[in-house]
Protein backbone atom coordinates (compact mmCIF):
# COMPACT_ATOMS: atom_id res chain seq x y z
CA UNK A 1 0.00 0.00 0.00
CA UNK A 2 2.89 2.28 0.88
CA UNK A 3 4.53 1.53 -2.48
CA UNK A 4 1.30 2.39 -4.34
CA UNK A 5 0.92 5.60 -2.35
CA UNK A 6 4.40 6.70 -3.27
CA UNK A 7 3.77 5.92 -6.94
CA UNK A 8 0.52 7.86 -6.90
CA UNK A 9 2.37 10.79 -5.42
CA UNK A 10 5.09 10.51 -8.04
CA UNK A 11 2.51 10.41 -10.85
CA UNK A 12 0.73 13.37 -9.32
CA UNK A 13 3.98 15.34 -9.22
CA UNK A 14 4.75 14.39 -12.78
CA UNK A 15 1.29 15.61 -13.88
CA UNK A 16 1.82 18.88 -12.06
CA UNK A 17 5.24 19.25 -13.66
CA UNK A 18 3.72 18.58 -17.09
CA UNK A 19 1.14 21.29 -16.54
CA UNK A 20 3.82 23.75 -15.43
CA UNK A 21 6.02 22.86 -18.43
CA UNK A 22 3.16 23.21 -20.92
CA UNK A 23 2.20 26.57 -19.47
CA UNK A 24 5.80 27.81 -19.52
CA UNK A 25 6.29 26.79 -23.13
CA UNK A 26 2.92 28.27 -24.13
CA UNK A 27 3.87 31.53 -22.44
CA UNK A 28 7.24 31.50 -24.21
CA UNK A 29 5.53 30.92 -27.57
CA UNK A 30 2.95 33.59 -26.86
CA UNK A 31 5.75 36.10 -26.18
CA UNK A 32 7.31 35.28 -29.55
CA UNK A 33 3.90 35.61 -31.26
CA UNK A 34 3.47 39.04 -29.63
CA UNK A 35 6.95 40.15 -30.80
CA UNK A 36 6.12 39.09 -34.36
CA UNK A 37 2.44 40.16 -34.24
CA UNK A 38 1.68 36.62 -35.27
CA UNK A 39 -2.11 36.83 -34.84
CA UNK A 40 -5.14 37.04 -37.09
CA UNK A 41 -8.49 38.72 -36.76
CA UNK A 42 -11.61 36.79 -37.76
CA UNK A 43 -14.81 38.69 -38.45
CA UNK A 44 -18.34 37.72 -37.50
CA UNK A 45 -21.14 39.63 -39.19
CA UNK A 46 -23.80 41.57 -37.27
CA UNK A 47 -27.15 42.06 -38.99
CA UNK A 48 -30.36 44.07 -38.64
CA UNK A 49 -33.96 42.77 -38.59
CA UNK A 50 -33.88 42.54 -42.40
CA UNK A 51 -30.70 40.40 -42.17
CA UNK A 52 -28.60 43.15 -43.76
CA UNK A 53 -24.99 43.45 -42.59
CA UNK A 54 -24.41 46.39 -40.24
CA UNK A 55 -20.88 45.50 -39.24
CA UNK A 56 -18.79 42.82 -37.59
CA UNK A 57 -17.09 41.78 -34.39
CA UNK A 58 -13.35 41.16 -34.68
CA UNK A 59 -12.25 37.99 -32.84
CA UNK A 60 -8.59 37.15 -32.42
CA UNK A 61 -6.95 33.86 -33.48
CA UNK A 62 -3.43 32.61 -32.87
CA UNK A 63 -2.09 30.45 -35.70
CA UNK A 64 0.20 27.92 -34.03
CA UNK A 65 2.55 25.61 -35.91
CA UNK A 66 1.60 22.60 -33.75
CA UNK A 67 -1.91 23.34 -32.47
CA UNK A 68 -3.41 25.02 -35.56
CA UNK A 69 -5.61 28.05 -34.91
CA UNK A 70 -5.67 28.56 -31.15
CA UNK A 71 -8.95 30.08 -29.96
CA UNK A 72 -8.85 33.07 -27.61
CA UNK A 73 -10.49 31.06 -24.81
CA UNK A 74 -7.19 29.14 -24.64
CA UNK A 75 -4.69 32.01 -24.64
CA UNK A 76 -6.45 35.23 -23.58
CA UNK A 77 -6.52 34.14 -19.89
CA UNK A 78 -2.75 33.48 -20.07
CA UNK A 79 -2.27 36.81 -21.88
CA UNK A 80 -4.16 38.52 -19.07
CA UNK A 81 -2.12 37.06 -16.17
CA UNK A 82 1.18 37.71 -17.95
CA UNK A 83 0.25 41.25 -19.06
CA UNK A 84 0.75 40.24 -22.71
CA UNK A 85 -2.87 41.27 -23.29
CA UNK A 86 -1.65 44.89 -23.38
CA UNK A 87 0.49 44.58 -26.56
CA UNK A 88 -2.02 42.07 -28.01
CA UNK A 89 -4.88 44.50 -27.39
CA UNK A 90 -2.88 47.30 -28.97
CA UNK A 91 -2.36 45.12 -32.07
CA UNK A 92 -6.11 44.37 -32.20
CA UNK A 93 -7.09 48.07 -32.07
CA UNK A 94 -4.47 48.97 -34.68
CA UNK A 95 -5.46 46.11 -37.02
CA UNK A 96 -9.19 46.82 -36.66
CA UNK A 97 -8.64 50.51 -37.49
CA UNK A 98 -6.50 49.56 -40.49
CA UNK A 99 -9.36 47.30 -41.66
CA UNK A 100 -11.91 50.08 -41.18
CA UNK A 101 -9.57 52.24 -43.28
CA UNK A 102 -9.65 49.64 -46.07
CA UNK A 103 -13.45 49.40 -45.81
CA UNK A 104 -13.67 53.16 -46.41
CA UNK A 105 -12.43 52.65 -49.97
CA UNK A 106 -15.39 50.50 -51.04
CA UNK A 107 -19.07 51.53 -51.17
CA UNK A 108 -20.06 48.00 -50.14
CA UNK A 109 -18.22 48.20 -46.80
CA UNK A 110 -18.01 51.96 -46.14
CA UNK A 111 -20.76 52.13 -43.53
CA UNK A 112 -19.93 48.93 -41.65
CA UNK A 113 -18.93 49.21 -37.99
CA UNK A 114 -16.28 47.06 -36.38
CA UNK A 115 -16.39 45.93 -32.75
CA UNK A 116 -13.27 44.92 -30.81
CA UNK A 117 -13.01 43.25 -27.41
CA UNK A 118 -11.16 45.24 -24.75
CA UNK A 119 -9.61 43.63 -21.66
CA UNK A 120 -9.64 45.30 -18.25
CA UNK A 121 -5.84 45.64 -18.08
CA UNK A 122 -5.79 47.18 -21.57
CA UNK A 123 -8.59 49.62 -20.68
CA UNK A 124 -6.70 50.69 -17.50
CA UNK A 125 -3.48 51.60 -19.33
CA UNK A 126 -2.85 55.32 -18.92
CA UNK A 127 -2.25 55.70 -22.67
CA UNK A 128 -5.29 53.70 -23.84
CA UNK A 129 -7.28 56.75 -24.96
CA UNK A 130 -4.28 58.21 -26.81
CA UNK A 131 -3.67 54.85 -28.48
CA UNK A 132 -7.23 54.58 -29.74
CA UNK A 133 -7.23 58.19 -30.89
CA UNK A 134 -3.90 57.75 -32.72
CA UNK A 135 -5.13 54.61 -34.52
CA UNK A 136 -8.37 56.33 -35.58
CA UNK A 137 -6.40 59.32 -36.93
CA UNK A 138 -3.68 57.25 -38.59
CA UNK A 139 -6.25 55.42 -40.67
CA UNK A 140 -8.51 58.44 -41.15
CA UNK A 141 -11.66 56.55 -40.19
CA UNK A 142 -14.98 57.91 -38.90
CA UNK A 143 -14.49 57.14 -35.17
CA UNK A 144 -18.14 56.15 -34.70
CA UNK A 145 -17.50 53.02 -36.79
CA UNK A 146 -15.16 51.66 -34.10
CA UNK A 147 -17.04 49.98 -31.26
CA UNK A 148 -15.28 48.97 -28.04
CA UNK A 149 -16.80 45.93 -26.32
CA UNK A 150 -16.43 46.22 -22.55
CA UNK A 151 -17.66 43.82 -19.89
CA UNK A 152 -19.64 44.66 -16.76
CA UNK A 153 -16.83 43.44 -14.47
CA UNK A 154 -14.32 45.67 -16.29
CA UNK A 155 -16.56 48.71 -15.89
CA UNK A 156 -17.26 48.10 -12.21
CA UNK A 157 -13.62 47.83 -11.14
CA UNK A 158 -13.15 51.53 -10.45
CA UNK A 159 -16.13 53.68 -11.38
CA UNK A 160 -14.24 57.00 -11.37
CA UNK A 161 -11.55 55.79 -13.77
CA UNK A 162 -14.19 54.02 -15.88
CA UNK A 163 -16.26 57.17 -16.29
CA UNK A 164 -13.19 59.35 -16.99
CA UNK A 165 -11.79 56.96 -19.60
CA UNK A 166 -15.15 56.44 -21.29
CA UNK A 167 -15.82 60.17 -21.36
CA UNK A 168 -12.44 60.81 -23.01
CA UNK A 169 -13.08 58.06 -25.57
CA UNK A 170 -16.54 59.45 -26.25
CA UNK A 171 -14.80 62.74 -27.10
CA UNK A 172 -12.73 60.81 -29.64
CA UNK A 173 -16.06 59.63 -31.04
CA UNK A 174 -15.91 55.85 -30.66
CA UNK A 175 -18.91 53.73 -29.61
CA UNK A 176 -19.32 51.38 -26.65
CA UNK A 177 -21.04 48.02 -26.36
CA UNK A 178 -21.60 46.26 -23.02
CA UNK A 179 -20.53 42.66 -23.75
CA UNK A 180 -21.95 39.53 -22.06
CA UNK A 181 -24.76 41.65 -20.67
CA UNK A 182 -26.90 39.99 -18.01
CA UNK A 183 -24.08 37.92 -16.51
CA UNK A 184 -23.01 40.70 -14.11
CA UNK A 185 -24.89 42.78 -11.58
CA UNK A 186 -25.19 46.20 -13.17
CA UNK A 187 -28.08 48.30 -11.90
CA UNK A 188 -29.97 50.78 -14.02
CA UNK A 189 -28.71 53.49 -11.66
CA UNK A 190 -25.13 52.47 -12.40
CA UNK A 191 -25.56 52.00 -16.14
CA UNK A 192 -27.14 55.37 -16.73
CA UNK A 193 -23.88 57.06 -15.66
CA UNK A 194 -22.02 55.43 -18.55
CA UNK A 195 -22.12 56.62 -22.18
CA UNK A 196 -23.04 53.17 -23.57
CA UNK A 197 -24.43 52.80 -27.11
CA UNK A 198 -25.29 49.11 -27.08
CA UNK A 199 -26.11 46.20 -24.77
CA UNK A 200 -25.00 42.83 -26.01
CA UNK A 201 -27.26 40.11 -24.60
CA UNK A 202 -25.08 37.21 -23.50
CA UNK A 203 -25.39 34.02 -25.51
CA UNK A 204 -26.29 32.03 -22.38
CA UNK A 205 -29.73 33.74 -22.43
CA UNK A 206 -30.16 33.25 -26.17
CA UNK A 207 -29.31 29.54 -26.10
CA UNK A 208 -32.50 28.38 -24.34
CA UNK A 209 -34.72 31.37 -24.98
CA UNK A 210 -37.29 29.35 -26.94
CA UNK A 211 -37.71 26.77 -24.15
CA UNK A 212 -36.81 28.57 -20.92
CA UNK A 213 -39.36 31.19 -19.89
CA UNK A 214 -37.07 32.80 -17.31
CA UNK A 215 -34.41 33.38 -20.00
CA UNK A 216 -37.10 34.99 -22.12
CA UNK A 217 -38.15 37.16 -19.17
CA UNK A 218 -34.54 38.23 -18.57
CA UNK A 219 -34.12 39.16 -22.23
CA UNK A 220 -37.33 41.22 -22.11
CA UNK A 221 -36.10 43.00 -18.96
CA UNK A 222 -32.76 43.81 -20.61
CA UNK A 223 -34.53 45.18 -23.67
CA UNK A 224 -36.89 47.34 -21.66
CA UNK A 225 -33.93 48.70 -19.63
CA UNK A 226 -32.19 49.47 -22.91
CA UNK A 227 -35.25 51.23 -24.29
CA UNK A 228 -35.48 53.36 -21.13
CA UNK A 229 -31.84 54.37 -21.61
CA UNK A 230 -32.15 54.76 -25.43
CA UNK A 231 -29.56 52.07 -25.99
CA UNK A 232 -29.47 49.61 -28.90
CA UNK A 233 -29.67 45.88 -28.16
CA UNK A 234 -27.76 43.14 -29.98
CA UNK A 235 -28.20 39.43 -29.27
CA UNK A 236 -25.15 37.18 -29.67
CA UNK A 237 -24.99 33.43 -30.17
CA UNK A 238 -28.11 33.36 -32.37
CA UNK A 239 -28.10 29.91 -33.96
CA UNK A 240 -31.68 29.25 -35.08
CA UNK A 241 -34.45 31.07 -36.92
CA UNK A 242 -36.76 30.38 -33.93
CA UNK A 243 -34.37 32.23 -31.62
CA UNK A 244 -34.18 35.12 -34.07
CA UNK A 245 -37.97 35.35 -34.35
CA UNK A 246 -38.48 35.34 -30.59
CA UNK A 247 -35.72 37.91 -30.02
CA UNK A 248 -37.28 40.10 -32.70
CA UNK A 249 -40.67 39.81 -30.97
CA UNK A 250 -38.98 40.83 -27.68
CA UNK A 251 -37.73 44.04 -29.35
CA UNK A 252 -34.17 43.11 -30.21
CA UNK A 253 -32.96 44.89 -33.37
CA UNK A 254 -29.43 43.58 -34.06
CA UNK A 255 -28.23 39.98 -34.26
CA UNK A 256 -24.99 37.99 -34.36
CA UNK A 257 -24.44 34.24 -34.44
CA UNK A 258 -23.86 31.09 -36.44
CA UNK A 259 -27.34 31.49 -38.02
CA UNK A 260 -25.83 34.25 -40.15
CA UNK A 261 -22.15 33.31 -40.20
CA UNK A 262 -19.39 31.98 -38.01
CA UNK A 263 -16.31 34.23 -37.58
CA UNK A 264 -14.32 34.11 -40.85
CA UNK A 265 -11.10 35.62 -42.30
CA UNK A 266 -11.49 38.97 -44.08
CA UNK A 267 -11.38 37.59 -47.64
CA UNK A 268 -14.30 35.26 -46.81
CA UNK A 269 -16.15 38.04 -45.04
CA UNK A 270 -15.88 40.33 -48.06
CA UNK A 271 -16.82 37.51 -50.45
CA UNK A 272 -19.90 36.84 -48.33
CA UNK A 273 -20.94 40.50 -48.55
CA UNK A 274 -20.39 40.62 -52.28
CA UNK A 275 -22.31 37.40 -52.76
CA UNK A 276 -25.44 38.44 -50.95
CA UNK A 277 -26.21 41.42 -48.74
CA UNK A 278 -28.88 39.48 -46.87
CA UNK A 279 -27.29 36.95 -44.53
P1 LIG B 1 -17.06 37.00 -26.76
O1 LIG B 1 -16.57 38.39 -26.94
O2 LIG B 1 -18.29 36.81 -25.94
O3 LIG B 1 -17.23 36.43 -28.23
C1 LIG B 1 -18.27 35.55 -28.63
C2 LIG B 1 -17.77 34.15 -28.80
O4 LIG B 1 -18.87 33.32 -29.20
C3 LIG B 1 -16.73 33.98 -29.90
O5 LIG B 1 -15.84 32.94 -29.51
C4 LIG B 1 -17.58 33.54 -31.09
O6 LIG B 1 -16.85 32.82 -32.07
C5 LIG B 1 -18.59 32.66 -30.41
N1 LIG B 1 -19.84 32.59 -31.17
C6 LIG B 1 -20.30 33.41 -32.13
N2 LIG B 1 -21.50 33.03 -32.57
C7 LIG B 1 -21.85 31.92 -31.89
C8 LIG B 1 -23.01 31.07 -31.91
O7 LIG B 1 -23.97 31.26 -32.66
N3 LIG B 1 -22.99 30.02 -31.04
C9 LIG B 1 -21.95 29.78 -30.19
N4 LIG B 1 -22.01 28.75 -29.38
N5 LIG B 1 -20.84 30.58 -30.14
C10 LIG B 1 -20.80 31.65 -30.98
P2 LIG B 1 -14.26 33.11 -29.67
O8 LIG B 1 -13.95 33.77 -30.98
O9 LIG B 1 -13.65 31.79 -29.37
O10 LIG B 1 -13.89 34.15 -28.53
C11 LIG B 1 -14.04 33.80 -27.17
C12 LIG B 1 -13.78 34.98 -26.26
O11 LIG B 1 -12.42 35.40 -26.32
C13 LIG B 1 -14.60 36.21 -26.62
O12 LIG B 1 -15.91 36.08 -26.12
C14 LIG B 1 -13.79 37.30 -25.94
O13 LIG B 1 -14.10 37.37 -24.57
C15 LIG B 1 -12.37 36.78 -26.09
N6 LIG B 1 -11.73 37.47 -27.22
C16 LIG B 1 -11.81 37.22 -28.54
N7 LIG B 1 -11.06 38.07 -29.26
C17 LIG B 1 -10.51 38.93 -28.36
C18 LIG B 1 -9.64 40.06 -28.48
O14 LIG B 1 -9.24 40.51 -29.56
N8 LIG B 1 -9.28 40.67 -27.30
C19 LIG B 1 -9.73 40.24 -26.08
N9 LIG B 1 -9.34 40.90 -24.98
N10 LIG B 1 -10.54 39.19 -25.96
C20 LIG B 1 -10.94 38.53 -27.07
CA1 LIG C 1 -17.34 40.27 -27.53
CA1 LIG D 1 -19.96 38.14 -25.56
CA1 LIG E 1 -28.60 35.02 -47.76
Amino acid sequence: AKEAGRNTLRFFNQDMQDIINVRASLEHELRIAVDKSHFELYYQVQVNAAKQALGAEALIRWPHRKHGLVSPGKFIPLAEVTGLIVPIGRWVVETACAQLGEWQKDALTRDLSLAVNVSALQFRQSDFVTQVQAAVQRHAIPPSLLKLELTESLLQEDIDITVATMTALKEVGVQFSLDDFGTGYSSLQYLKQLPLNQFKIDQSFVRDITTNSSDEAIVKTIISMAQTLHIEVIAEGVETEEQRQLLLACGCTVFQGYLFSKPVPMDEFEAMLRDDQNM
Side-chain angles (χ1 to χ4, degrees):
K2 218 173 196 174
E3 245 355 83
R6 214 179 284 143
N7 279 335
T8 310
L9 192 62
R10 198 152 52 227
F11 280 126
F12 176 69
N13 284 340
Q14 190 56 51
D15 287 349
M16 293 297 284
Q17 197 54 52
D18 287 348
I19 290 169
I20 291 164
N21 290 344
V22 167
R23 188 195 178 283
S25 87
L26 202 65
E27 181 179 337
H28 176 70
E29 290 177 322
L30 191 56
R31 275 183 202 283
I32 294 171
V34 168
D35 279 344
K36 296 181 175 165
S37 299
H38 194 212
F39 299 101
E40 281 176 31
L41 287 184
Y42 272 41
Y43 300 82
Q44 186 175 35
V45 73
Q46 300 178 335
V47 304
N48 65 13
K51 301 190 181 180
Q52 291 159 327
L54 297 175
E57 177 179 5
L59 293 153
I60 197 169
R61 301 290 181 262
W62 176 20
H64 189 281
R65 73 199 143 74
K66 279 206 308 259
H67 309 307
L69 269 192
V70 186
S71 70
K74 297 223 170 68
F75 71 91
I76 293 289
L78 180 62
E80 279 170 345
V81 296
T82 54
L84 287 169
I85 194 64
V86 173
I88 292 173
R90 198 178 300 137
W91 177 86
V92 170
V93 168
E94 171 58 28
T95 307
C97 289
Q99 188 56 61
L100 279 167
E102 287 301 310
W103 281 356
Q104 288 305 295
K105 298 173 187 164
D106 189 337
L108 186 67
T109 51
R110 189 166 300 148
D111 299 323
L112 298 182
S113 64
L114 188 52
V116 297
N117 293 283
V118 177
S119 275
L121 193 61
Q122 181 187 2
F123 184 80
R124 307 278 155 197
Q125 296 298 300
S126 57
D127 65 345
F128 182 62
V129 177
T130 325
Q131 248 178 54
V132 171
Q133 181 165 36
V136 163
Q137 282 170 354
R138 186 158 44 244
H139 298 285
I141 55 170
S144 61
L145 296 180
L146 181 67
K147 196 171 279 169
L148 304 180
E149 292 201 1
L150 312 171
T151 60
E152 285 172 90
S153 57
L154 175 155
L155 295 177
Q156 275 168 336
E157 254 171 49
D158 183 331
I159 179 72
D160 292 341
I161 293 180
T162 296
V163 170
T165 305
M166 287 181 80
T167 305
L169 286 164
K170 193 185 167 187
E171 286 290 306
V172 174
V174 301
Q175 304 261 110
F176 300 104
S177 179
L178 187 49
D179 203 358
D180 305 335
F181 190 59
T183 60
Y185 300 94
S186 305
S187 66
L188 204 58
Q189 189 60 35
Y190 174 79
L191 291 173
K192 78 171 193 205
Q193 301 174 54
L194 306 175
L196 292 163
N197 307 95
Q198 186 183 67
F199 288 164
K200 193 168 206 178
I201 299 176
D202 190 63
Q203 54 188 61
S204 62
F205 301 112
V206 173
R207 193 178 305 126
D208 301 321
I209 190 170
T210 57
T211 51
N212 185 323
S213 59
S214 56
D215 284 347
E216 185 184 344
I218 290 167
V219 167
K220 283 183 174 153
T221 306
I222 292 173
I223 291 170
S224 86
M225 270 170 83
Q227 285 166 347
T228 305
L229 297 167
H230 304 291
I231 287 173
E232 176 182 280
V233 177
I234 179 171
E236 69 177 340
V238 182
E239 295 182 352
T240 68
E241 182 59 25
E242 292 68 35
Q243 290 169 340
R244 190 187 78 92
Q245 289 294 342
L246 185 49
L247 287 159
L248 203 57
C250 290
C252 184
T253 53
V254 189
F255 307 86
Q256 180 183 344
Y258 296 162
L259 176 62
F260 314 100
S261 168
K262 61 186 200 307
V264 291
M266 184 45 60
D267 52 345
E268 270 183 60
F269 183 82
E270 287 179 347
M272 184 173 78
L273 285 182
R274 251 184 288 281
D275 187 47
D276 186 355
Q277 284 212 270
N278 292 309
M279 298 297 147

